[in-house]
Amino acid sequence: MKQSFQLWRTEELSIRGDVFVASEADRAGIYPVVVICHGFKGFKDWGMFPRIGEHLAAHGFVAITFNFSGNGVGDDPETFGELEKFGRNTYRQELDDLAFLIAAIKAKELPLASYMDTERIGLMGHSKGGGDTILYAASHPGQMAALVTWNGISHVDVFGADVRRQIEEGGTGYIMNGRTKQNMPIEKVVLDDIDQNAAAYDIPARAAELATPLLIVQGRDDFARLVKGAPVIAERAQDAALHWVEGAGHTFNTVHPYQGDTKELQEALEVTTEFFTKHLV
């Protein structure tokens, strides 16, 4: 079963999400929780994310997918209708979103809360959300019991030199969304956040602080910078395993709208489920 929620962080910022629990779940039981973070230009209803939620729920977890408050998706779950929020979305805001969401989980404020074992929480993230996963866990030691990244970033500046140049010249940079053909804005505040917090956002260095078990799932055919960065994080982290998915691109060869599982996605789901079962169940 799935139930949706909306949490208001401020008058303008809200976190929309979905809670997945297996339909046959024992109503007297409680289950470990896995929170799933999307990446840059991602959203909770993109392609594989509902499938991840359903899969984890079917294997004995309460799975929570959500939209970061500044991801640009508003009332229409399939449309980037809030580009102004997207343009101002910083890592600090996403980390604050995570803190707010996890506090709400622990306070039993989400739908289907009676199924949640709030002492056993895992965190996973795709791409930029993988970076958020490591940064959040490093800043909240002992709060997460297990971490998984899927094709996660190793460096927070995912925007590139051209966007930085545009911002320096005109105050706003733009990145084309290849799927929607929208020019998506990036404001100066986003780069200021990165520049002013370089040490706090150094993902390999923060990974080295983690005592929490970490699984890095990396597609062999992903972007070169991510393929190069995954072993760096694995080497720095105290308790990390790196699993290569051969032939997998950035979204494990899945698309939006979702067209069904690929063998690469199935492999990622299997190793992730095995890892969370080992460390959360």
Side-chain angles (χ1 to χ4, degrees):
M1 73 184 86
K2 181 183 83 171
Q3 289 192 22
S4 300
F5 65 87
Q6 184 173 10
L7 301 173
W8 287 94
R9 269 193 56 207
T10 69
E11 290 185 359
E12 296 185 352
L13 299 177
S14 71
I15 299 168
R16 296 173 172 88
D18 296 311
V19 180
F20 295 82
V21 178
S23 57
E24 67 273 16
D26 179 357
R27 293 190 179 277
I30 58 174
Y31 305 89
V33 178
V34 176
V35 178
I36 302 158
C37 306
H38 65 74
F40 185 56
K41 295 184 288 185
F43 51 98
K44 69 179 178 64
D45 294 294
W46 191 95
M48 65 184 178
F49 287 99
R51 175 70 177 111
I52 298 169
E54 292 167 357
H55 178 89
L56 289 173
H59 286 80
F61 302 94
V62 177
I64 299 172
T65 60
F66 72 100
N67 287 340
F68 284 108
S69 63
N71 80 330
V73 175
D75 292 333
D76 182 344
E78 296 280 343
T79 302
F80 287 102
E82 298 183 344
L83 289 181
E84 289 185 4
K85 292 180 181 178
F86 178 91
R88 299 191 300 270
N89 186 37
T90 62
Y91 282 91
R92 179 71 269 158
Q93 182 171 318
E94 292 192 342
L95 295 172
D96 288 346
D97 285 346
L98 269 174
F100 190 85
L101 174 59
I102 290 167
I105 293 169
K106 287 183 170 293
K108 301 284 189 179
E109 294 174 353
L110 266 60
L112 303 173
S114 62
Y115 291 101
M116 299 179 191
D117 183 347
T118 58
E119 298 303 313
R120 294 183 291 167
I121 301 178
L123 186 61
M124 70 175 287
H126 173 252
S127 191
K128 185 169 179 270
D132 285 319
T133 294
I134 290 172
L135 295 177
Y136 180 84
S139 297
H140 298 81
Q143 190 178 85
M144 299 293 103
L147 308 172
V148 176
T149 64
W150 279 18
N151 291 339
I153 60 171
S154 61
H155 192 282
V156 292
D157 190 350
V158 299
F159 310 106
D162 187 54
V163 169
R164 187 174 287 271
R165 178 189 57 77
Q166 292 177 44
I167 290 173
E168 290 173 352
E169 293 177 354
T172 303
Y174 292 91
I175 291 179
M176 173 63 71
N177 186 315
R179 183 180 65 87
T180 68
K181 308 306 179 187
Q182 291 170 286
N183 267 324
M184 306 188 76
I186 305 295
E187 302 292 345
K188 184 175 182 293
V189 64
V190 175
L191 294 189
D192 288 345
D193 177 60
I194 290 173
D195 296 341
Q196 293 166 10
N197 295 284
Y201 296 167
D202 183 334
I203 293 172
R206 299 309 304 275
E209 301 173 20
L210 292 172
T212 308
L214 168 65
L215 173 65
I216 300 166
V217 181
Q218 179 60 55
R220 187 75 75 176
D221 293 348
D222 196 5
F223 300 117
R225 68 182 186 277
L226 304 186
V227 171
K228 182 179 179 180
V232 175
I233 296 173
E235 290 169 6
R236 296 291 299 275
Q238 299 175 34
D239 183 6
L242 172 57
H243 180 91
W244 292 100
V245 181
E246 300 297 334
H250 193 55
T251 58
F252 298 93
N253 304 348
T254 64
V255 296
H256 183 80
Y258 196 61
Q259 300 297 316
D261 289 0
T262 62
K263 63 182 179 62
E264 294 81 10
L265 178 67
Q266 289 174 347
E267 182 176 339
L269 288 170
E270 288 169 5
V271 297
T272 298
T273 302
E274 180 181 348
F275 179 81
F276 278 136
T277 299
K278 177 180 178 181
H279 293 287
L280 295 181
V281 175

